[in-house]
Amino acid sequence: KQAPTPFERDVFVGWRVTFNDAASTEALLGAIVDPHSKEALYSVEASRRFAQSWKVTLETRVFTGGKPVGSTLPERLAALANPDPDNKNWFITDEDFVQLELAYYF
């Protein structure tokens, strides 16, 4: 409960897949889960070339669990001053993102 990091007893599972094909298809999947508070971070990175000069890449991060703290500065400062051991990832609960990239190489 006094750990200086939010990942004190969490479980990480990851999987990297490379298909070894002409399109260089690959994926990296991962998850960090806190078995006590049920907070989790999921990650997906995948890419594939197509045609001669194109590549598509997907990157995503999703955070689950945790309780919202509030959006005002006093509420956030209070959460930092008095951390809840069952809500250590409150500062990233609203930080999910998905990025899709299409690149052309010449």
Side-chain angles (χ1 to χ4, degrees):
K1 292 189 177 200
Q2 299 300 320
T5 175
F7 305 110
E8 79 285 11
R9 287 189 209 134
D10 297 356
V11 177
F12 172 77
V13 177
W15 186 42
R16 181 179 186 91
V17 179
T18 304
F19 290 98
N20 197 25
D21 59 354
S24 296
T25 306
E26 58 186 16
L28 181 61
L29 309 160
I32 301 172
V33 179
D34 184 334
H36 177 71
S37 68
K38 306 299 185 228
E39 293 173 302
L41 170 133
Y42 301 100
S43 174
V44 175
E45 297 177 22
S47 66
R48 180 179 174 93
R49 289 185 304 140
F50 59 96
Q52 286 287 336
S53 304
W54 292 91
K55 182 177 181 180
V56 64
T57 304
L58 172 71
E59 185 175 346
T60 224
R61 303 276 186 280
V62 176
F63 307 95
T64 62
K67 298 169 273 204
V69 169
S71 59
T72 67
L73 183 60
E75 292 170 322
R76 291 182 177 258
L77 290 174
L80 287 171
N82 300 313
D84 178 359
D86 292 329
N87 195 25
K88 289 187 178 182
N89 294 328
W90 64 267
F91 56 93
I92 59 174
T93 56
D94 295 333
E95 301 297 326
D96 301 343
F97 79 91
V98 175
Q99 176 177 316
L100 183 62
E101 179 181 289
L102 181 62
Y104 177 76
Y105 298 95
F106 53 94

